[in-house]
Amino acid sequence: MRGFEYFEPKTVDEAAEVLASRGEDAKVLAGGQALLPMMSARLVNPRFLVGLSAVPELKRIDWDDQQGLRLGAMVTQRTIEHSALIREKCPVLADTASRIASSHVRNMGTIGGNLAHNLVGSDPPATLIALGAEIGASSTRGKRTIPASEFFTGFMETVLQPDELLTGVRIPPLAPGGAVVYLKHTVRAVDPALVGIALLAVRNAHSGSWSEVRIGVSGVSEAPLRLRSAEDVLRGRQPDDATIKEAAKLAMDEVDPMTDAHGSASYRRKMTGVILGRAVRQLLMRFQMKVP
Ligand SMILES: Cc1cc2nc3c(=O)[nH]c(=O)nc-3n(C[C@H](O)[C@H](O)[C@H](O)COP(=O)(O)OP(=O)(O)OC[C@H]3O[C@@H](n4cnc5c(N)ncnc54)[C@H](O)[C@@H]3O)c2cc1C
């Protein structure tokens, strides 16, 4: 590992100042689970590290009935897994966090680091896309919020600029009659997802049809994405066997799967349809509807 100068700002504004003044030679350090191994291997060689562990506002977890759940970027994956507030207000997020790697990684790894790093097969992106979450970013140029579905742009790439700090995530409250499920398919339990699918649906109490549907997928393509054509098929219906098959086919067409050491593109494509079908059936069971 090459030498570096370490900064420990106390506020988001201070951190943004350091990033703005040091340019692309500076890197944010969160839990270090991804960055430090890359520095050890000399894959990245920042001259300046901006550690966020002394910024209290980035560790907050808040709930508001109108705005929903807010998580600071430095909330650890372990905290998300065990927080009583998150388990009550957004249990699918706690469940998703519990599927990340091992407890060693979750103890240190943060939600902000997970999203900014955008490892292929990261679990939270699929769930945040399905939940309609927004990601906050801050720099000396100002603040902005980005829908989770537009945040991930390519292989380990996001819309974040080098001078921007990811500050947190906001998850809107689930509409009445809504339910969400996250399913992860891997070869070994500790691996990132080969296929990670989160499905949100809101069931109309009178007609029984699904009025709102959002699907997030990670692990299949180079970046997590929203499966809009499969959503369109499921929306406005009470999914039956034919609907599930049609949605699965559209999902398989919509992804652009990759091949790596964990699995081939054709396997990822096939499992996208299989896992989506399972997710739809799980939600039908939750809604106590007929499961085809
Ligand atoms: C063995 C192993 C297995 C894993 N398996 C899984 C898995 O199954 N599922 C899963 O979801 N993840 C998995 N991960 C990834 C894990 O979740 C990491 O913790 C996460 O990707 C990085 O979080 P961190 O807080 O450690 O970030 P760091 O390592 O500190 O930073 C990662 C990157 O994000 C940038 N960054 C961090 N925070 C910010 C911020 N607030 N603003 C701007 N940029 C920022 C850093 O500059 C760096 O480029 C695994 C990691 C390991 C090591």
Side-chain angles (χ1 to χ4, degrees):
M1 190 185 289
R2 299 224 166 97
F4 53 84
E5 190 178 343
Y6 185 68
F7 293 85
E8 198 171 75
K10 302 283 185 292
T11 64
V12 167
D13 288 348
E14 272 179 45
E17 289 285 346
V18 182
L19 287 179
S21 60
R22 300 308 191 278
E24 298 206 9
D25 286 335
K27 273 268 175 204
V28 170
L29 176 67
Q33 295 301 292
L35 184 58
L36 296 182
M38 289 195 301
M39 287 173 65
S40 293
R42 299 199 173 189
L43 294 171
V44 288
N45 301 293
R47 289 174 53 213
F48 309 102
L49 274 192
V50 186
L52 298 182
S53 59
V55 185
E57 63 195 284
L58 295 179
K59 295 181 182 167
R60 291 182 61 117
I61 305 175
D62 297 295
W63 171 261
D64 175 277
D65 285 344
Q66 306 301 319
Q67 295 294 312
L69 187 66
R70 283 184 193 276
L71 303 178
M74 287 297 284
V75 174
T76 65
Q77 297 153 8
R78 186 78 169 162
T79 301
I80 295 173
E81 183 185 357
H82 291 286
S83 155
L85 182 63
I86 295 176
R87 284 182 164 269
E88 181 198 337
K89 301 296 185 188
C90 192
V92 70
L93 189 64
D95 182 44
T96 303
S98 77
R99 306 298 312 276
I100 297 173
S102 61
S103 53
H104 312 83
V105 171
R106 297 197 294 273
N107 276 337
M108 298 296 293
T110 63
I111 186 68
N114 183 286
L115 300 175
H117 184 52
N118 190 18
L119 175 77
V120 173
S122 257
D123 298 284
T127 299
L128 293 177
I129 289 170
L131 288 167
E134 287 177 349
I135 295 170
S138 193
S139 71
T140 54
R141 294 175 288 114
K143 295 180 180 173
R144 61 177 178 143
T145 53
I146 305 119
S149 57
E150 294 168 20
F151 185 77
F152 309 98
T153 51
F155 182 75
M156 295 175 74
E157 284 177 1
T158 71
V159 297
L160 274 186
Q161 298 300 306
D163 67 339
E164 275 185 314
L165 198 67
L166 192 161
T167 50
V169 177
R170 184 182 74 83
I171 299 166
L174 191 59
V180 202
V181 65
Y182 174 67
L183 298 185
K184 175 176 187 174
H185 178 63
T186 51
V187 178
R188 300 176 310 166
V190 293
D191 288 338
L194 260 180
V195 180
I197 289 191
L199 168 65
L200 173 148
V202 179
R203 179 176 179 259
N204 184 297
H206 302 294
S207 66
S209 62
W210 289 9
S211 55
E212 190 183 336
V213 180
R214 268 196 307 272
I215 305 168
V217 60
S218 62
V220 179
S221 309
E222 291 193 340
L225 73 153
R226 187 172 167 186
L227 297 178
R228 291 177 192 270
S229 52
E231 291 174 6
D232 289 343
V233 168
L234 295 168
R235 195 175 295 114
R237 300 196 192 175
Q238 298 186 31
D240 57 11
D241 196 43
T243 314
I244 295 173
K245 283 192 177 125
E246 195 183 344
K249 183 181 178 313
L250 287 168
M252 288 191 286
D253 290 345
E254 202 165 354
V255 292
D256 181 13
M258 55 183 279
T259 292
D260 64 10
H262 299 287
S264 67
S266 61
Y267 183 66
R268 280 183 157 95
R269 189 188 298 282
K270 182 177 171 198
M271 290 312 293
T272 299
V274 172
I275 302 297
L276 179 60
R278 284 182 197 162
V280 174
R281 288 186 172 87
Q282 279 211 10
L283 278 197
L284 287 170
M285 276 191 265
R286 282 245 200 119
F287 291 139
Q288 300 186 323
M289 294 170 76
K290 188 170 169 234
V291 182

